[in-house]
Amino acid sequence: MSDWERDFAAYVDGRGAALRGTAYLLCGNWHSAEDLTQTTLTKLYLAWRRIDRTESVDAYARTVLLRAFLDERRRPWRRERSSRDLPDPPAPGVAPRSVDERLALEAALRVLPRNQRAVLVLRYWSDLDVRDTAAALGISEGTVKSASARGLAALRAAMSREETR
């Protein structure tokens, strides 16, 4: 194994779980998140020798992840198809409140438009500031601010509706 391959393997060992977590928040399910993470790691592996190590490798990987996520959503043959058979909802009162809240938050996150979801995941999960989020998504800082405000408002509304049920 060459030095760059060892470096890449070390990076995947150290940061793979964080990439997978970000992918999960973007996709909303672990199977799609695994696929998205693998796509990202494959593209990262192919570009590994060209990546400038003085720049943040995490930022580069996050950009690859976001672009792969957005590209997958644009392909019509990859879109989800509705089904008559829905999974059983959890039994009321079985799960602790924190788990219920997390599931409600994840469900609310999944119904947001993909760009708002990407902004919220980067801002509040990856803890990026407005400037870095704008750079990662290739949008203006004003767009990040408005998408953050609208996305948070939509999440709050969804969560308050969930509480009244």
Side-chain angles (χ1 to χ4, degrees):
M1 184 182 286
S2 66
D3 288 341
W4 71 268
E5 288 175 316
R6 275 190 279 284
D7 289 344
F8 178 77
Y11 178 79
V12 172
D13 286 342
R15 300 298 298 155
L19 279 173
R20 195 170 22 264
T22 302
Y24 173 75
L25 289 174
L26 291 169
C27 297
N29 72 62
W30 286 110
H31 298 292
S32 296
E34 288 288 334
D35 291 344
L36 183 58
T37 303
Q38 286 302 315
T39 300
T40 300
L41 291 176
T42 299
K43 291 178 180 186
L44 193 60
Y45 178 81
L46 294 173
W48 191 255
R49 288 179 277 184
R50 295 187 316 262
I51 297 173
D52 183 9
R53 296 302 188 285
T54 60
E55 296 294 320
S56 173
V57 176
D58 287 339
Y60 182 85
R62 197 173 24 254
T63 299
V64 171
L65 179 77
L66 286 167
R67 287 182 181 164
F69 168 72
L70 294 172
D71 286 347
E72 284 297 311
R73 299 294 175 219
R74 291 181 187 131
R75 296 182 183 154
W77 60 87
R78 297 284 298 206
R79 291 191 183 135
E80 292 182 20
R81 292 186 176 88
S82 59
S83 171
R84 289 182 203 260
D85 302 321
L86 297 175
D88 292 333
V94 171
R97 181 155 174 81
S98 63
V99 172
D100 290 338
E101 287 174 351
R102 180 180 174 146
L103 291 174
L105 180 61
E106 289 174 3
L109 193 60
R110 282 192 297 270
V111 298
L112 291 178
R114 68 177 179 265
N115 291 336
Q116 280 182 5
R117 186 179 338 154
V119 166
L120 291 180
V121 168
L122 288 178
R123 290 278 292 126
Y124 302 105
W125 176 260
S126 297
D127 202 27
L128 296 182
D129 61 16
V130 172
R131 188 189 69 220
D132 291 339
T133 301
L137 292 172
I139 58 178
S140 71
E141 291 182 21
T143 302
V144 170
K145 291 175 187 177
S146 63
S148 294
R150 288 183 186 127
L152 288 174
L155 285 177
R156 285 185 191 108
M159 295 301 290
S160 67
R161 282 192 303 269
E162 186 65 31
E163 286 177 6
T164 59
R165 287 185 186 180

